[in-house]
């Protein structure tokens, strides 16, 4: 019996598209590309109930045209609502916890996407929705996960501005005032469970672009293709 596919909403993200790299503040793009050599991919897993076969994680789907702007017609299931937070690190930590948490028992794939979409900035020039929606498995795989009642919760260890981002910001503090997009890396742990007591815990890491304009609540702009420390 194989272990059910595990949904990882961080390790299989799609890359930022070229047009978004142009639109999103040059400071953010420069930092992410300059630190590509220091990518810290998610590593290690410590299963508490290990099944007898190999682990198969869920690959991300390629976002289709129908997913470019999902409408929460049927609600967003168990997906957490975006908090009213005006501080980049705090918002990024909340967003990462949302991305690492899911429940196929009461939330279908469309609801998952709709719930995630609610966290995005409404400034289309800076919103890279494909980098977020691309974290979710395709409909067939989501259905397989639902057959196993697969669900996950997350705990956040810490969040911080990557050193390269802080250095770039120090060199040119005014560069961020165009889009007010901040790069934040979040670390935490995801606890996955499924039928018959199966489950496991895995460390997670994610780098996000968060938009926090003055006197406005923050919003998610994009998920970076690599983790930047």
């Amino acid at each position: 019996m194989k272990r059910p596919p595990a949904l990882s909403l961080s390790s299989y993200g799609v890359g930022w598209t070229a047009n978004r790299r142009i639109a999103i503040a040059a400071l953010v793009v420069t930092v992410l590309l300059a630190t590509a050599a220091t990518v810290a991919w998610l590593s290690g897993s410590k299963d508490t109930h290990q099944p007898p076969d190999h682990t198969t994680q869920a690959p991300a789907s390629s976002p289709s045209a129908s997913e470019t702007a999902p409408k929460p017609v049927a609600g967003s299931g168990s997906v957490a609502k975006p908090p009213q937070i005006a501080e980049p690190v705090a918002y990024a930590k909340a967003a990462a916890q949302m991305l690492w948490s899911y429940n196929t028992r009461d939330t279908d794939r469309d609801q998952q996407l709709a719930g995630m979409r609610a966290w995005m900035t409404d400034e289309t020039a800076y919103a890279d929705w494909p980098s977020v929606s691309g974290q979710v498995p395709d409909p067939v795989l989501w259905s397989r996960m639902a057959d196993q009642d697969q669900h996950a919760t997350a705990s956040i260890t810490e969040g911080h501005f990557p050193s390269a981002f802080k250095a770039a910001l120090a060199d040119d503090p005014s560069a961020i005032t165009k889009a007010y997009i901040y790069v934040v890396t979040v670390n935490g742990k995801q606890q996955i469970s499924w039928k018959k007591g199966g489950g496991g815990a895995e460390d997670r890491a994610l780098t996000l672009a968060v938009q926090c304009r003055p006197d406005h609540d923050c919003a998610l702009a994009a998920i970076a293709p690599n983790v930047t420390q």
Side-chain angles (χ1 to χ4, degrees):
M1 177 179 177
K2 291 186 176 181
R3 171 180 174 172
L7 171 57
S8 169
L9 291 179
S10 60
S11 56
Y12 293 97
V14 296
W16 289 358
T17 57
N19 62 325
R20 292 303 182 190
R21 284 182 178 142
I22 294 172
I24 293 177
L27 172 64
V28 175
V29 176
T30 299
V31 170
L32 291 175
L33 295 181
T35 56
T38 63
V39 171
W41 286 107
L42 305 179
S43 60
S45 66
K46 298 179 181 179
D47 294 341
T48 56
H49 296 282
Q50 204 169 39
D53 209 338
H54 298 291
T55 299
T56 303
Q57 281 197 311
S61 62
S62 297
S64 64
S66 64
E67 293 174 359
T68 56
K71 298 178 181 179
V73 177
S76 55
S78 61
V79 181
K81 301 294 188 295
Q84 295 182 317
I85 296 176
E87 198 282 315
V89 173
Y91 190 87
K93 290 165 68 175
Q97 186 166 30
M98 177 275 294
L99 290 167
W100 293 331
S101 303
Y102 62 91
N103 191 343
T104 64
R105 297 172 299 180
D106 60 17
T107 304
D108 62 33
R109 185 173 180 273
D110 287 342
Q111 290 175 317
Q112 185 73 26
L113 287 167
M116 292 163 61
R117 185 66 180 83
W119 288 68
M120 299 292 294
T121 175
D122 57 8
E123 295 186 37
T124 56
Y126 304 116
D128 185 7
W129 171 240
S131 73
V132 179
S133 63
Q135 310 294 308
V136 179
D138 62 59
V140 173
L141 192 48
W142 185 275
S143 178
R144 288 175 53 199
M145 293 162 57
D147 289 342
Q148 296 294 330
D149 291 343
Q150 193 165 315
H151 54 285
T153 57
S155 58
I156 303 301
T157 304
E158 63 86 38
H160 65 276
F161 296 124
S163 57
F165 175 77
K166 290 191 292 184
L169 193 59
D171 288 341
D172 186 4
S174 65
I176 203 166
T177 59
K178 178 181 179 181
Y180 285 97
I181 291 179
Y182 300 81
V183 177
V184 183
T185 294
V186 179
N187 290 281
K189 180 166 289 188
Q190 183 186 50
Q191 180 73 44
I192 304 172
S193 302
W194 55 88
K195 282 182 177 179
K196 298 181 180 179
E202 299 185 23
D203 292 331
R204 296 291 186 215
L206 188 66
T207 297
L208 311 92
V210 174
Q211 185 180 48
C212 298
R213 289 195 179 279
D215 302 320
H216 286 79
D217 293 330
C218 295
L220 181 61
I223 297 175
N226 300 320
V227 178
T228 304
Q229 296 294 346

